[in-house]
Amino acid sequence: MDDKTILDVRDLSVTFRMYDEGLEQKETPVICSLNVNVREGEIVAVAGSSGSGKSLLAHAVLGILPTNAKTTGVMRYYDTDLTAGAQAALRGKEIALVPQSVAFLDPLMRAGKQAQGVSGSEQKQREVFSRFSLPPETGRLYPFQLSGG
């Protein structure tokens, strides 16, 4: 078995710049000195209670944290530093997030339109659905009609 490292996260810290009383800015730490290493052939689970930072870790790796977030540490995908440019190039192609809940979808918009994205097309939607073996009629459904499992 090849034990090449796929994802290497070292000393990751995530803080949010927020305002407290009196409109003074403060840094609120939400992830502190986290290390995760995923090698080829491994299955790694990140477990924790609600609000412990599991989704924030995924968002940091993908580079989709809100603008008031700041990260420190090192994140590498294979031998590539996960800079903002690398994250954008890999996002949705080699690295993707499967949300834990269909609550991430707009409940008033059909799933197909959401799979297309802001500047996507019906062709993009068909490709996404095909990749995950979803029948074309899935696009006409609303999130509440989809299984969250």
Side-chain angles (χ1 to χ4, degrees):
M1 179 172 94
D2 188 356
D3 63 353
K4 188 169 185 168
T5 298
I6 297 171
L7 179 66
D8 185 26
V9 177
R10 283 181 274 136
D11 200 29
L12 175 68
S13 293
V14 178
T15 59
F16 284 100
R17 187 178 55 256
M18 303 173 72
Y19 291 94
D20 63 5
E21 294 180 29
L23 297 178
E24 290 189 36
Q25 287 189 6
K26 65 177 185 173
E27 297 283 327
T28 303
V30 290
I31 295 177
C32 298
S33 302
L34 177 72
N35 295 302
V36 177
N37 187 277
V38 182
R39 297 169 106 44
E40 287 183 350
E42 282 187 325
I43 296 173
V44 175
V46 178
S49 61
S50 179
S52 63
K54 302 176 300 290
S55 293
L56 287 175
L57 168 61
H59 291 180
V61 169
L62 287 164
I64 58 173
L65 288 168
T67 57
N68 67 325
K70 176 181 151 192
T71 62
T72 59
V74 175
M75 296 184 290
R76 295 180 58 82
Y77 175 73
Y78 285 101
D79 294 325
T80 302
D81 286 329
L82 286 177
T83 62
Q87 289 167 318
L90 294 166
R91 190 170 39 244
K93 296 171 184 67
E94 292 193 38
I95 302 175
L97 170 65
V98 178
Q100 63 189 8
S101 167
V102 293
F104 275 84
L105 300 174
D106 182 337
L108 302 176
M109 184 184 292
R110 294 182 192 273
K113 193 70 172 166
Q114 294 183 68
Q116 290 177 22
V118 174
S119 60
S121 65
E122 288 184 30
Q123 175 62 31
K124 178 180 177 184
Q125 173 213 314
R126 285 191 293 275
E127 290 170 5
V128 169
F129 284 6
S130 175
R131 186 175 342 141
F132 295 103
S133 302
L134 296 170
E137 55 270 15
T138 304
R140 293 190 297 274
L141 299 176
Y142 289 95
F144 74 90
Q145 296 171 304
L146 302 170
S147 168

